Amino acid sequence: MAAENCSDGRPNPNPCYLQKFRLYETRSNFYMIGRDKNRTLWRVLRIDRLDPSELTILEDCRTYSEIDCCDLLRRIHEGNRSTGGLKFVTVCYGIVGFVKFLGPYYMLLITKRRKIGAICGHTIYAITKSEMIPIPNFPVQSNMAYSTNEKRYKKLLCMVDLTKDFFFSYSYNVMHSLQRNLCKNEAGLVHYETMFVWNEFLTRGIRNNLKNTLWTVALVYGFFKQVKLSVSGGDFKLTLIARRSRHYAGTRYLKRGVNEKGRVANDVETEQIVFEDVPERCPTQISSVVQNRGSIPLFWSQETSRLNLKPDIILSKKDPNYEATRLHFENLVKRYGNPIIILNLIKTYEKKPRETILLAEFSNAIRFINESLTEENRLRFLHWDLSRHSRKSTNVLALLGRVADYALNLTGIFYCQVTPNCRPEGLLNLSCFVQNDEYVAQIASDRNDDVEKLETNVGNDKQNSSENVKTTTFQTGVLRTNCIDCLDRTNVAQYSYGLMALGRQLHAMGFIDTQTIDQNSPLAEDLIRVYETMGDTLAQQYGGSAAHNKIFCQRRGQWKAATQSQEFFRTLQRYYSNAYMDAEKQSAINLFLGHFQPQQGKPALWELDSDQHYSVGRDGPNLFNENASCRTSFKRSLSDGNILCGTHSPMAVPNVRHHRPLSENIGATHGLSDSTPEMPTCEISYSRSTTGLSSENIEVKIDMTTSPSESGSSIKGGDRTASELTCDGILDKFSESFVNWVTHGDMLIPLKLTSK
């Protein structure tokens, strides 16, 4: 629930956040009274109830005291005494949005909440109870003669359970990463337009009308878990957040691959935040790292079948120039910058080609895209058949840890020290940083308007901080992991990345002396449990069952028969959900996100064969926005917004240094940008055999111009191969077999892998 903006459009430096509301009704209006946490500020909202076909919302611009607000309610009651007066309806904690099916508008409210964590002093909440309230008064309702379809739409919308896996904050932009929140100063309305706010459509009307977000909450869907852990006698808090994209969202077999605007299915951003467990108002250190998962960005599908547990994989649309794939990676660069590191975990060998079809096509796509990019901006592509190696008693987690270490050397992590002299609501701006002069100079070049204020704040911070100030570092780039479903194998890889990143985070904070954590340590076991819970949650959302955690079970030494029984049960559960439940679940998601808008006299949502058909909106027939299918038998749709609005490729961005923050200026490109800045550069090139591409004939040549060291500084490498970089110490801690794998593809022999 963001604060109001200043008159010039900039964020208010002293924002207010309404956190608790009381809803009252008269015959002709709803009155919502909102107040801040400290009961010092009260506001009034009026919603008209007489016109069932229109949503009319008026906000009183005045700020009331509690006494003034009580007096206002008394006068409203007296003025409406002849028609029943003013009646109390409910206490609530924010508006989720407004929705209209075939009849009147409904208002969705949060009526109970619970605290699930805090970031930088900002509380994060989950929903424990919600309510859908019709706007018109009773006489108007009775004249509407609710149809069976109206009731069915209401029931369908309620299938999106707001009490499961949705979370929000009044004062922290939980839809963004910590790095973006601390480095960007954005207005409240902007946050709802990002890909991770699931009630963007439901709140669009009230936001456009009031030009603020005081009354609404921005709901993020995915996973949130905060735990207190200890290492070397020190306590810290670890927060794991998974943000699921609302674009091309849906269920396993109904949403596969990419749509024409570069949006992929099962697109999830995972952020791991670590900060010291210290009393409030004390200096603290904080660090975060972000990784990504998403479906293979090709036009492919699998037909849902009640007779086949593993439907055939179909490349369902020819895209010779891989435009959709290119758009997807351009969007990743806009969000995270370069380098984009792709870890592909699908199978290399199969008796009946399924996953290998995608492997060859994905490899071709990366090769084709890289041909048009400059060397420093090319994609890095790593492939490893996790399924095959996990059956060979390979130490999968150790090997994936090597990959994570390699990726983190390229991207770095976000780390900063925070001073205690920030506003009570929490730490959310650059003035909270303990910075250095070089950083101030960089900010000066990017934000001339804020230079004087920033220098003053930083100067004060430096006077109040100790002499041993650590350099602020930034993550520049991202690791993108995928398998087929981006659930089970992907979650194992993301845990390995999280463990390796945690070592670097704790090392930066001074908790441990090295950058690595022993896989057999209690801390690693604690982290497994958190990632396993996240994997189960994300798998339930997209696949219909908990994740297949065979590798984690083996790691814990669980009885083999018990593991097999658990895996079999989850396979059956996923099959049942995909075959019998997913169609209705997909319809509910389409309704909630506004991809389908009911209209009298037009086909109902459940009358359509699938969500690939034309939908009916308020202005007549249209296509599902951001909801296109991959199947050849149905026409694919366009999205509701282009990823690119300019003609320049965002992948060809200028080089930046590792300590550069996320800035407002991200290059010459324009359009949708949902996350972060430009990053260091890299390349990958391929050689093709005449028999087609496989992981054995992909040649990967690494080329880095920058790479983070432990202190966050850059190391220039020029146009050199991985072997040449080894001489400079960047890859010298990796075994020769690992370097060969990075250079030549899936040629790594796990049994020869040695530690250094």
Side-chain angles (χ1 to χ4, degrees):
M1 189 171 297
E4 291 182 292
N5 301 330
C6 299
S7 58
D8 59 2
R10 294 179 303 171
N12 191 333
N14 298 302
C16 64
Y17 303 99
L18 303 183
Q19 297 193 18
K20 190 171 183 179
F21 308 84
R22 293 177 67 87
L23 184 66
Y24 299 86
E25 66 173 351
T26 64
R27 182 182 178 89
S28 57
N29 292 289
F30 277 118
Y31 292 91
M32 182 171 284
I33 311 299
R35 66 167 174 84
D36 65 352
K37 183 178 180 180
N38 298 322
R39 305 177 70 96
T40 59
L41 178 145
W42 302 73
R43 298 290 295 269
V44 179
L45 190 72
R46 179 166 66 87
I47 305 170
D48 181 78
R49 304 185 68 195
L50 296 180
D51 189 348
S53 62
E54 296 294 334
L55 182 63
T56 304
I57 303 174
L58 298 175
E59 182 183 38
D60 191 335
C61 62
R62 289 172 292 181
T63 298
Y64 292 86
S65 67
E66 185 171 4
I67 296 176
D68 293 337
C69 198
C70 291
D71 183 62
L72 174 64
L73 292 176
R74 180 186 58 78
R75 289 187 280 113
I76 293 174
H77 176 70
E78 292 296 330
N80 291 271
R81 186 179 293 276
S82 61
T83 57
L86 184 71
K87 299 178 182 178
F88 172 73
V89 179
T90 185
V91 172
C92 60
Y93 298 93
I95 298 175
V96 174
F98 295 85
V99 65
K100 177 181 174 64
F101 307 121
L102 302 173
Y105 275 94
Y106 299 87
M107 178 167 52
L108 280 67
L109 300 176
I110 299 171
T111 53
K112 288 186 179 180
R113 67 184 183 185
R114 61 184 175 90
K115 180 179 177 179
I116 56 176
I119 300 175
C120 294
H122 301 264
T123 303
I124 313 298
Y125 295 97
I127 301 171
T128 55
K129 187 177 180 181
S130 63
E131 191 171 344
M132 183 188 300
I133 298 177
I135 297 298
N137 58 34
F138 182 78
V140 175
Q141 284 187 30
S142 62
N143 295 333
M144 294 300 299
Y146 277 129
S147 65
T148 302
N149 283 356
E150 181 78 10
K151 295 178 181 178
R152 188 167 178 178
Y153 278 123
K154 289 177 61 178
K155 183 178 179 181
L156 191 62
L157 186 73
C158 291
M159 285 188 63
V160 180
D161 190 349
L162 297 179
T163 65
K164 288 185 178 180
D165 309 327
F166 284 93
F167 49 94
F168 67 95
S169 175
Y170 299 104
S171 55
Y172 181 79
N173 302 315
V174 73
M175 74 290 293
H176 299 316
S177 67
L178 176 71
Q179 180 171 323
R180 175 167 177 170
N181 279 329
L182 285 171
C183 299
K184 278 197 172 184
N185 210 13
E186 298 172 310
L189 290 172
V190 174
H191 305 303
Y192 281 75
E193 299 169 4
T194 61
M195 62 193 296
F196 301 120
V197 177
W198 271 57
N199 60 333
E200 185 277 333
F201 168 74
L202 297 176
T203 59
R204 192 180 298 167
I206 183 173
R207 288 184 291 110
N208 291 340
N209 186 4
L210 303 182
K211 306 302 181 185
N212 68 52
T213 57
L214 277 172
W215 305 89
T216 58
V217 296
L219 295 183
V220 179
Y221 184 47
F223 177 81
F224 186 98
K225 182 72 173 179
Q226 190 168 84
V227 294
K228 181 178 179 179
L229 301 174
S230 299
V231 62
S232 302
D235 295 334
F236 66 93
K237 287 188 177 180
L238 181 139
T239 305
L240 190 63
I241 306 173
R243 305 175 180 96
R244 181 176 293 282
S245 172
R246 62 181 169 88
H247 300 303
Y248 204 45
T251 56
R252 186 185 181 200
Y253 287 137
L254 295 177
K255 285 290 173 285
R256 290 295 212 192
V258 69
N259 70 8
E260 292 180 353
K261 294 303 176 182
R263 305 295 191 180
V264 296
N266 199 19
D267 189 347
V268 180
E269 176 184 273
T270 301
E271 181 178 20
Q272 180 175 290
I273 302 175
V274 177
F275 56 90
E276 293 178 296
D277 187 21
V278 297
E280 293 185 7
R281 314 299 296 167
C282 291
T284 186
Q285 302 177 84
I286 191 166
S287 174
S288 76
V289 66
V290 173
Q291 55 181 317
N292 177 265
R293 70 171 75 184
S295 189
I296 296 175
L298 300 170
F299 292 109
W300 64 280
S301 65
Q302 287 179 281
E303 296 288 343
T304 305
S305 173
R306 297 182 180 179
L307 302 177
N308 188 357
L309 287 174
K310 291 186 176 182
D312 291 339
I313 290 176
I314 304 170
L315 281 171
S316 52
K317 182 174 181 177
K318 293 295 183 181
D319 186 11
N321 295 323
Y322 300 104
E323 290 300 328
T325 309
R326 183 190 302 273
L327 285 175
H328 172 67
F329 287 114
E330 286 177 341
N331 179 252
L332 284 181
V333 173
K334 280 189 174 183
R335 288 157 56 186
Y336 306 108
N338 283 313
I340 302 299
I341 307 161
I342 305 159
L343 177 58
N344 183 35
L345 302 173
I346 62 178
K347 294 178 181 178
T348 304
Y349 302 103
E350 295 173 302
K351 292 182 179 179
K352 180 180 180 181
R354 293 177 65 256
E355 297 186 14
T356 51
I357 297 173
L358 293 178
L359 173 60
E361 189 70 8
F362 195 17
S363 302
N364 284 333
I366 299 298
R367 175 195 56 79
F368 186 88
I369 292 171
N370 277 337
E371 287 178 352
S372 63
L373 298 177
T374 59
E375 291 184 358
E376 64 272 14
N377 290 316
R378 289 179 179 174
L379 304 169
R380 296 173 181 266
F381 183 87
L382 299 176
H383 171 256
W384 190 58
D385 187 342
L386 189 148
S387 296
R388 178 161 63 96
H389 290 289
S390 64
R391 292 193 296 268
K392 294 182 176 181
S393 300
T394 304
N395 189 342
V396 171
L397 297 180
L399 185 54
L400 289 173
R402 295 288 186 88
V403 179
D405 194 24
Y406 164 75
L408 287 164
N409 276 341
L410 301 179
T411 66
I413 64 171
F414 175 65
Y415 164 82
C416 72
Q417 294 174 290
V418 182
T419 61
N421 60 335
C422 298
R423 62 175 182 265
E425 290 84 356
L427 317 172
L428 268 185
N429 55 46
L430 286 169
S431 64
C432 301
F433 277 77
V434 176
Q435 300 289 358
N436 53 30
D437 294 334
E438 184 179 13
Y439 178 74
V440 175
Q442 272 204 323
I443 294 296
S445 64
D446 290 338
R447 299 182 183 176
N448 294 326
D449 294 339
D450 296 331
V451 172
E452 183 176 353
K453 177 181 177 182
L454 180 61
E455 289 178 340
T456 302
N457 287 331
V458 172
N460 292 336
D461 289 343
K462 292 173 67 177
Q463 292 177 7
N464 296 330
S465 62
S466 63
E467 296 181 358
N468 187 23
V469 175
K470 298 180 181 179
T471 302
T472 298
T473 63
F474 295 85
Q475 178 178 345
T476 53
V478 74
L479 174 66
R480 182 198 192 274
T481 306
N482 72 265
C483 49
I484 288 297
D485 297 323
C486 301
L487 297 177
D488 313 317
R489 287 171 283 183
T490 296
N491 202 61
V492 174
Q494 289 208 328
Y495 157 73
S496 296
Y497 183 84
L499 181 64
M500 188 61 64
L502 181 60
R504 295 179 180 235
Q505 291 174 300
L506 294 177
H507 176 73
M509 293 181 178
F511 280 94
I512 57 178
D513 296 329
T514 65
Q515 288 191 342
T516 59
I517 298 174
D518 188 351
Q519 289 189 355
N520 298 314
S521 67
L523 184 58
E525 295 295 330
D526 291 336
L527 192 66
I528 279 183
R529 283 191 287 271
V530 180
Y531 271 86
E532 192 171 6
T533 304
M534 180 187 73
D536 288 341
T537 301
L538 297 179
Q540 189 72 51
Q541 294 166 5
Y542 181 67
S545 77
H548 292 286
N549 294 317
K550 181 171 65 174
I551 293 176
F552 289 152
C553 293
Q554 292 173 347
R555 177 72 180 79
R556 288 193 297 265
Q558 183 172 307
W559 186 33
K560 186 175 181 179
T563 301
Q564 292 175 340
S565 176
Q566 173 182 287
E567 296 298 292
F568 178 71
F569 173 77
R570 291 181 178 181
T571 298
L572 290 181
Q573 187 181 24
R574 191 172 292 185
Y575 159 75
Y576 177 82
S577 178
N578 298 158
Y580 297 95
M581 306 291 292
D582 280 3
E584 190 173 28
K585 184 177 177 181
Q586 183 69 59
S587 295
I589 292 173
N590 291 338
L591 193 64
F592 188 88
L593 295 176
H595 295 323
F596 180 90
Q597 300 175 43
Q599 188 176 5
Q600 289 280 8
K602 301 296 182 179
L605 180 56
W606 47 86
E607 294 174 351
L608 303 177
D609 292 337
S610 66
D611 71 335
Q612 289 82 39
H613 283 270
Y614 288 92
S615 68
V616 180
R618 296 279 171 245
D619 300 322
N622 56 44
L623 288 172
F624 279 100
N625 295 330
E626 291 288 2
N627 206 41
S629 165
C630 297
R631 304 181 185 180
T632 56
S633 57
F634 300 106
K635 185 174 181 179
R636 296 175 53 81
S637 71
L638 300 179
S639 69
D640 57 0
N642 292 332
I643 291 179
L644 297 178
C645 295
T647 58
H648 302 285
S649 170
M651 304 179 95
V653 293
N655 295 344
V656 297
R657 300 177 66 183
H658 247 288
H659 57 270
R660 176 167 180 151
L662 305 177
S663 66
E664 300 292 343
N665 303 317
I666 59 171
T669 59
H670 303 281
L672 179 62
S673 177
D674 287 321
S675 221
T676 54
E678 299 106 0
M679 315 280 194
T681 56
C682 56
E683 79 155 63
I684 176 172
S685 61
Y686 293 88
S687 63
R688 294 183 62 189
S689 69
T690 57
T691 58
L693 272 172
S694 72
S695 59
E696 269 64 38
N697 52 46
I698 297 175
E699 181 180 82
V700 183
K701 184 173 73 175
I702 300 301
D703 182 20
M704 296 183 290
T705 58
T706 60
S707 177
S709 67
E710 293 181 14
S711 64
S713 61
S714 61
I715 302 175
K716 296 184 179 180
D719 296 330
R720 294 172 291 173
T721 64
S723 301
E724 292 170 327
L725 287 172
T726 301
C727 301
D728 287 346
I730 297 178
L731 295 178
D732 57 0
K733 61 180 172 179
F734 299 110
S735 66
E736 181 180 356
S737 58
F738 181 85
V739 175
N740 289 335
W741 173 49
V742 172
T743 306
H744 300 294
D746 191 17
M747 305 292 287
L748 181 64
I749 307 300
L751 295 178
K752 295 183 180 180
L753 187 64
T754 58
S755 302
K756 285 194 175 184

